[in-house]
Amino acid sequence: MYALFAVGVNSNFRIRYNTMLPANILFSDRPSEDLSKLLVQKHYSKTVVLVDENTRKFCLPLLFDDLSSLHVIEVSSGEEHKNLDTCQRIWSKMTELALDRHAIMVVVGGGVLGDMGGFCAATYKRGIDFVLIPTTLLAQVDASIGGKLGIDFQSFKNHIGVFQQPILTLLHTGFLKTLPLAELRSGFAEVIKHCLISDPKMWKEISTKSLEDLAWKDLVEHSVVFKALVTSEDPKEKGLRKILNAGHTIGHAVESYLLEAGRRILHGEAIAIGLIAEGYIAAEKGLLAKKDFHEITSYIIKIYGKILLKDDDVRESSGLAVQDKKNRDNRILCVLLNGIGNAKWDEEITVDQIRESLHYYQKL
Ligand SMILES: NC(=O)c1ccc[n+]([C@@H]2O[C@H](COP(=O)([O-])OP(=O)(O)OC[C@H]3O[C@@H](n4cnc5c(N)ncnc54)[C@H](O)[C@@H]3O)[C@@H](O)[C@H]2O)c1
Ligand SMILES: [Zn+2]
């Protein structure tokens, strides 16, 4: 078990791994027992479980022996359902079930369900307790930690939402066994990011291994401890929390452009591109040693392969970065690695630098 001590000094920081986790995060080898313990202890008036068709099939049986007496709300999987329509269906079901303020919602799913289910619970009758049981790698290492909840609105991602902590985040890596490989690899980009911005030792550890050889339990724990510390130090993203956006300024611009162009790639694939492109800029600025940059690039390409980017894609994506939520006064603000294991946020970069970095990626 690790704990972190962050020393946030402007846009620079040092992190030290040691022991401890927030009280509402639990790693469990027996999620069914641990969940029922909580439900019994707290005497909830009713328990409702939110699933999608995949987590109903693969994950629910690992949590409840008797499914017959359970109140289950099932919604369709996929980002396209993370919207107000689905929330209305969830709130309607909660109302039909006559849930009062002493009820609890257990959300069993990936980041889509965690964000949306948590949001529905946090707003129903001004908020009831909820448990997050993240079942994808991305949800375990990222989405279920830090209290951000919400939904997409019109064409804006995570546009409507609240900050609220679950009563418990229950982590069980056994759920990952049924996760499609593409989803596992996608979530892994956040693990790579966490290692690169905080822990050179863990980076060394993962970068010598292939996906099949990784010890998920250790890696999930490592990422969770890191994200929990960063987000508890800076819950509303005023400073330190911004480092979690490493790889995301350029990655998100490419992801959004390709989505609009009808060539959707997975989030983690986009972040893989972003980590290389932003690494290129960091190396050009002299923040990241060339040798380290090449090591990062070759590992990421080994895991994700190379995603085809046409010249139009490069030009249009570079332009899109100007609209990034994290920018201020029309300046593109980015997280840049300051050597492996350290990062600086609010570093200004230009559209030309982004274009150049993506051209570099194209030619790899
Ligand atoms: N709140 C935050 O801080 C935060 C951070 C990062 C990402 N997010 C959000 O997370 C979402 C993406 O989450 P995701 O990548 O988990 O996608 P997801 O929730 O869409 O899940 C991916 C797919 O895996 C299926 N699935 C889930 N668990 C499974 C299992 N154990 N076995 C088999 N199939 C399973 C799901 O049904 C779905 O089809 C995005 O909406 C993003 O905005 C939120
Ligand atoms: Zn991400």
Side-chain angles (χ1 to χ4, degrees):
M1 181 79 67
Y2 323 84
L4 284 174
F5 301 93
V7 190
V9 188
N10 298 325
S11 74
N12 226 327
F13 71 101
R14 273 176 292 124
I15 271 178
R16 200 145 54 82
Y17 283 77
N18 217 297
T19 45
M20 247 169 51
L21 263 178
N24 69 339
I25 298 179
L26 180 70
F27 282 90
S28 173
D29 289 329
R30 294 184 208 83
S32 165
E33 270 175 41
D34 287 321
L35 177 63
S36 86
K37 240 186 254 167
L38 171 93
L39 297 177
V40 169
Q41 241 172 38
K42 295 263 187 175
H43 300 291
Y44 287 108
S45 56
K46 239 174 220 171
T47 301
V48 64
V49 183
L50 183 69
V51 291
D52 64 25
E53 72 280 8
N54 297 316
T55 60
R56 176 173 219 148
K57 180 171 167 196
F58 296 117
C59 308
L60 207 54
L62 273 67
L63 288 166
F64 298 95
D65 297 330
D66 177 17
L67 297 175
S68 60
S69 59
L70 210 59
H71 299 296
V72 178
I73 302 177
E74 181 180 320
V75 297
S76 303
S77 66
E79 184 73 31
E80 65 275 25
H81 297 289
K82 189 179 154 182
N83 57 29
L84 207 48
D85 280 349
T86 314
C87 288
Q88 287 207 35
R89 286 197 35 231
I90 297 171
W91 286 317
S92 299
K93 278 274 179 199
M94 293 167 85
T95 309
E96 270 170 39
L97 288 167
L99 298 191
D100 63 22
R101 284 172 122 178
H102 307 286
I104 185 167
M105 176 184 275
V106 178
V107 186
V108 183
V112 165
L113 241 57
D115 280 13
M116 180 165 58
F119 175 67
C120 287
T123 47
Y124 178 82
K125 298 197 174 175
R126 296 202 180 84
I128 61 169
D129 281 358
F130 63 100
V131 174
L132 292 181
I133 307 193
T135 59
T136 64
L137 181 61
L138 181 124
Q140 296 194 348
V141 299
D142 192 351
S144 69
I145 311 295
K148 280 187 183 175
L149 308 169
I151 52 166
D152 305 333
F153 184 67
Q154 295 173 353
S155 56
F156 305 103
K157 223 174 127 44
N158 300 323
H159 198 61
I160 307 289
V162 295
F163 281 94
Q164 182 70 262
Q165 288 292 343
I167 186 103
L168 181 70
T169 296
L170 190 60
L171 292 146
H172 174 64
T173 46
F175 290 123
L176 304 180
K177 284 184 196 146
T178 55
L179 193 64
L181 181 63
E183 294 292 345
L184 190 77
R185 194 166 46 201
S186 179
F188 185 54
E190 308 292 349
V191 175
I192 297 177
K193 174 194 80 178
H194 288 156
C195 293
L196 284 175
I197 60 180
S198 78
D199 191 350
K201 256 168 91 186
M202 200 56 142
W203 161 254
K204 273 277 166 263
E205 171 99 25
I206 61 168
S207 61
T208 53
K209 296 200 170 124
S210 59
L211 264 191
E212 300 79 56
D213 300 331
L214 291 168
W216 291 114
K217 228 168 147 180
D218 294 347
L219 278 181
V220 170
E221 192 170 307
H222 179 267
S223 271
V224 165
V225 168
F226 173 63
K227 188 166 180 196
L229 177 97
V230 168
T231 54
S232 63
E233 286 268 320
D234 177 18
K236 297 276 171 84
E237 206 164 315
K238 304 281 182 231
L240 181 67
R241 187 170 182 160
K242 293 183 188 176
I243 55 166
L244 300 173
N245 295 317
H248 282 63
T249 301
I250 300 181
H252 191 236
V254 171
E255 183 181 12
S256 308
Y257 173 72
L258 291 180
L259 182 67
E260 278 293 302
R263 285 181 285 133
R264 178 176 180 267
I265 58 173
L266 289 174
H267 178 68
E269 295 174 320
I271 299 316
I273 298 174
L275 287 169
I276 294 177
E278 292 173 17
Y280 175 89
I281 297 173
E284 288 296 302
K285 285 192 173 209
L287 291 166
L288 181 65
K290 288 263 155 66
K291 173 182 126 316
D292 291 344
F293 168 59
H294 292 305
E295 186 182 303
I296 294 169
T297 302
S298 60
Y299 179 66
I300 290 178
I301 295 290
K302 192 175 92 189
I303 301 283
Y304 294 91
K306 235 193 79 186
I307 289 142
L308 176 74
L309 291 183
K310 300 181 210 159
D311 287 344
D312 280 0
D313 304 338
V314 168
R315 196 183 50 249
E316 298 296 326
S317 307
S318 307
L320 264 189
V322 181
Q323 291 172 27
D324 195 281
K325 274 195 215 120
K326 298 164 305 273
N327 294 342
R328 273 187 93 150
D329 312 324
N330 285 326
R331 294 180 307 137
I332 305 174
L333 299 178
C334 183
V335 177
L336 293 179
L337 287 183
N338 187 20
I340 291 179
N342 196 271
K344 292 173 121 185
W345 64 86
D346 284 348
E347 287 288 303
E348 186 169 357
I349 61 172
T350 64
V351 172
D352 283 346
Q353 284 171 320
I354 298 177
R355 199 176 300 127
E356 192 186 315
S357 70
L358 287 174
H359 279 312
Y360 171 85
Y361 177 86
Q362 268 185 314
K363 293 198 200 96
L364 281 172

